[in-house]
């Protein structure tokens, strides 16, 4: 294989390498992965807030349950006192009033307990739903990350192969040619070598004079495009077929 074929091969290898590097970066910064993680963070935050609310209401509920129990006892004591009927009418009327007030308070406590219980039930349902959503996202993330890991391994394996091929093809190009190529590479990167097709330099799409194309067709000397300066390459028969 001539120098030019090897230069073309080198360029193809470098192009492939850049493509693989790009895919590697995409696998490392997968937008869906980021999206799922963001959603999970938001749901976890929501869950934490909800949990705090639940804990608060549970405390209130417990407190009112204790109130209720105490009021129940107070009510019973007052009732017993009233039944015993000891004391004068004024005293008994005072006890009766106290009993009525206690009954009202007891009722209020019971209503609070009912309200808190209903609220708790609804919030616990919300929390369970959130938990379910979070674990669904966790599963999705797990599958996605496993797939990305497999993809990354494949890409890195290919990168290794490409690096090996790069080293090999470099060793087949003479130093002088490589120096010229490297200088132009700084400017044109992976378009340093341009194919000649339909009489055009495919690097800059400018028509090439016949004599230049004839030179390029010899495929043994380096010929630069008169317009852009890229190294011109006339594809070999195999590549023309492909
Ligand atoms: Zn050109």
């Amino acid at each position: 294989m001539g120098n030019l074929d090897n230069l073309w091969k080198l360029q193809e290898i470098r192009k492939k390498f850049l493509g693989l590097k790009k895919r590697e970066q995409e696998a490392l910064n997968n937008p869906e992965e980021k999206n799922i993680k963001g959603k999970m963070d938001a749901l976890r935050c929501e869950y934490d807030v909800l949990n705090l609310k639940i804990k608060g209401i549970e405390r209130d509920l417990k407190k009112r349950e204790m109130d209720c129990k105490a009021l129940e006892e107070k009510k019973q004591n007052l009732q017993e006192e009233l039944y015993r009927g000891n004391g004068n009418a004024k005293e008994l009327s005072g006890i009766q009033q106290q009993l009525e007030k206690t009954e009202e308070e007891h009722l209020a406590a019971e209503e609070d307990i009912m309200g808190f219980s209903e609220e708790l039930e609804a919030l616990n349902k919300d929390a369970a739903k959130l938990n379910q959503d979070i674990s669904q996202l966790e599963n999705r993330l797990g599958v996605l990350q496993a797939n990305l890991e497999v993809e990354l391994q494949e890409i890195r394996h290919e990168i290794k192969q490409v690096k090996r091929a790069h080293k090999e093809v470099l060793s087949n190009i003479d130093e002088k040619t490589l120096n010229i190529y490297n200088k132009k590479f700084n400017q044109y990167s992976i378009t340093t070598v341009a194919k000649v097709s339909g009489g055009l330099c495919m690097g800059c799409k400018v028509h090439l004079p016949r004599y230049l194309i004839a030179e390029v067709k010899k495929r043994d000397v380096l010929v630069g495009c008169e317009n852009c300066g890229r190294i011109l390459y006339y594809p070999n028969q195999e590549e023309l077929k492909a």
Side-chain angles (χ1 to χ4, degrees), residues 8 11-12 191-204 208 216 230-236 239-240 242:
W8 181 258
Q11 179 161 292
E12 292 292 294
T191 69
T192 301
V193 184
K195 266 186 184 175
V196 175
S197 178
L200 300 177
C201 159
M202 294 315 282
C204 66
L208 298 164
V216 178
R230 286 182 174 87
I231 299 168
L232 293 171
Y233 173 65
Y234 199 81
N236 61 30
E239 270 177 281
L240 279 175

Side-chain angles (χ1 to χ4, degrees), residues 80-113:
E80 278 167 20
E81 227 178 307
L82 210 58
Y83 287 141
R84 275 199 298 272
N86 297 336
N88 57 38
K90 201 186 164 192
E91 278 167 350
L92 287 175
S93 153
I95 295 171
Q96 178 67 36
Q97 273 180 3
Q98 240 186 321
L99 178 62
E100 277 165 21
K101 194 175 159 265
T102 307
E103 274 172 343
E104 269 171 40
E105 283 172 0
H106 181 250
L107 212 66
E110 274 184 337
E111 272 171 18
D112 281 354
I113 288 169

Side-chain angles (χ1 to χ4, degrees), residues 31-227:
E32 204 192 337
E33 187 186 13
K34 218 178 269 176
N35 182 24
I36 294 176
K37 279 183 178 170
K39 274 187 194 162
M40 272 169 63
D41 284 347
L43 289 185
R44 279 180 179 143
C45 202
E46 214 178 304
Y47 182 81
D48 287 345
V49 171
L50 196 59
N51 227 3
L52 280 178
K53 209 169 160 188
I54 287 172
K55 291 257 161 63
I57 293 173
E58 277 172 351
R59 268 197 303 274
D60 291 343
L61 176 64
K62 211 170 187 178
K63 190 180 165 291
R64 291 306 268 156
E65 277 171 348
M66 276 158 68
D67 287 349
C68 196
K69 210 174 154 196
L71 287 164
E72 183 92 50
E73 276 169 26
K74 194 176 168 189
K75 221 171 82 177
Q76 252 170 12
N77 288 339
L78 287 167
Q79 272 167 345
E80 278 167 20
E81 227 178 307
L82 210 58
Y83 287 141
R84 275 199 298 272
N86 297 336
N88 57 38
K90 201 186 164 192
E91 278 167 350
L92 287 175
S93 153
I95 295 171
Q96 178 67 36
Q97 273 180 3
Q98 240 186 321
L99 178 62
E100 277 165 21
K101 194 175 159 265
T102 307
E103 274 172 343
E104 269 171 40
E105 283 172 0
H106 181 250
L107 212 66
E110 274 184 337
E111 272 171 18
D112 281 354
I113 288 169
M114 214 145 73
F116 287 144
S117 299
E118 276 169 18
E119 209 175 336
L120 264 182
E121 199 183 328
L123 290 176
N124 277 321
K125 255 186 205 163
D126 290 347
K129 174 83 177 60
L130 272 177
N131 239 339
Q132 200 185 345
D133 290 349
I134 290 169
S135 57
Q136 268 175 2
L137 285 176
E138 271 170 354
N139 287 341
R140 261 177 67 195
L141 185 66
V143 172
L144 179 67
Q145 283 177 333
N147 286 337
L148 285 172
E149 187 51 41
V150 170
E151 199 186 329
L152 261 180
Q153 275 175 14
E154 281 169 6
I155 291 169
R156 283 172 178 164
H157 179 69
E158 275 191 70
I159 285 176
K160 260 188 203 162
Q161 286 178 324
V162 163
K163 277 184 174 168
R164 219 175 292 144
H166 184 256
K167 211 172 161 187
E168 197 192 320
V169 81
L170 270 182
S171 69
N172 290 329
I173 303 169
D174 68 64
E175 212 183 315
K176 207 177 130 201
T177 307
L178 208 54
N179 282 339
I180 296 169
Y181 170 82
N182 281 338
K183 255 180 224 155
K184 291 185 188 283
F185 186 80
N186 291 334
Q187 188 177 353
Y188 293 117
S189 177
I190 52 167
T191 69
T192 301
V193 184
K195 266 186 184 175
V196 175
S197 178
L200 300 177
C201 159
M202 294 315 282
C204 66
K205 305 282 160 67
V206 156
H207 267 284
L208 298 164
R210 280 172 188 282
Y211 77 89
L212 206 65
I213 293 175
E215 279 295 296
V216 178
K217 273 184 177 173
K218 287 181 189 164
R219 295 169 35 85
D220 53 2
V221 281
L222 288 190
V223 180
C225 168
E226 288 178 339
N227 182 56

